[in-house]
Amino acid sequence: MTTLKSALQDDLTAAIKARDELRSATLRMTLTAITKEEVSGTSARELSDDEVLKVITREAKKRREAAEAFDEGGRSEQAKRERAEGEILAAYLPQQLSDEELDAIVGEAVEEARANGAEGPKAMGAVMKLAGPKVAGRAEGGRVAAAVKKRLTS
């Protein structure tokens, strides 16, 4: 078992013993998503820590989007719970890049793409391919794409 998955299970056990309903429900949902990912496809497999991290990131993003939708729908109590679940999951994610750090990484990727002959807005794919591994798990794809687009059009 991966260390991140076992940490989630240990924390779930502690949350259940502490009768922390919010934390235990959030960790249960996340572990269910991990298990679902493990058994999807042609054969069951154990996820690596990086793959578990991707599942946690996806679940955290779902919570953020749900909170926004509940706010727009006027259901502030449900939005508050979704945000709380997102905060619990954020504890398992790596520290997110600041805007300045992201801009620096994107700037390096743009320069590298230009050195390889990619220019202007058409270079978006090449820059994303270069920047992707450098920001993996530390910035959302939409945020990276916006920074790349901004850098390429300026």
Side-chain angles (χ1 to χ4, degrees):
M1 186 180 303
T2 62
T3 56
L4 188 53
K5 184 177 175 185
S6 62
L8 285 167
Q9 288 180 327
D10 292 345
D11 291 349
L12 173 60
T13 303
I16 291 170
K17 287 179 181 176
R19 299 190 185 273
D20 185 344
E21 188 274 330
L22 176 68
R23 186 172 203 78
S24 61
T26 303
L27 294 176
R28 271 194 185 111
M29 281 189 285
T30 305
L31 285 166
T32 300
I34 291 168
T35 303
K36 190 174 179 181
E37 187 78 20
E38 287 177 333
V39 298
S40 68
T42 56
S43 63
R45 63 190 173 84
E46 179 124 358
L47 297 181
S48 68
D49 272 349
D50 287 341
E51 292 169 318
V52 170
L53 198 57
K54 286 179 185 177
V55 173
I56 296 171
T57 302
R58 189 170 53 229
E59 291 297 309
K61 183 178 179 186
K62 285 180 188 177
R63 301 300 175 277
R64 274 193 306 278
E65 291 171 350
E68 290 170 11
F70 282 126
D71 274 337
E72 290 172 12
R75 297 182 60 193
S76 60
E77 273 306 306
Q78 192 64 34
K80 186 175 161 185
R81 180 175 173 99
E82 293 290 337
R83 281 195 187 85
E85 289 177 1
E87 289 173 15
I88 290 169
L89 294 176
Y92 297 96
L93 297 173
Q95 183 67 35
Q96 294 292 298
L97 291 172
S98 68
D99 289 336
E100 295 79 28
E101 293 169 321
L102 181 60
D103 284 339
I105 290 171
V106 167
E108 292 171 14
V110 167
E111 293 306 315
E112 195 174 332
R114 284 189 178 139
N116 293 333
E119 281 288 330
K122 293 180 180 177
M124 181 90 171
V127 174
M128 288 296 289
K129 190 179 282 187
L130 292 168
K134 296 176 184 173
V135 299
R138 299 185 303 152
E140 269 188 24
R143 219 177 124 210
V144 177
V148 169
K149 190 172 187 179
K150 178 182 169 190
R151 187 56 80 95
L152 288 174
T153 57
S154 63

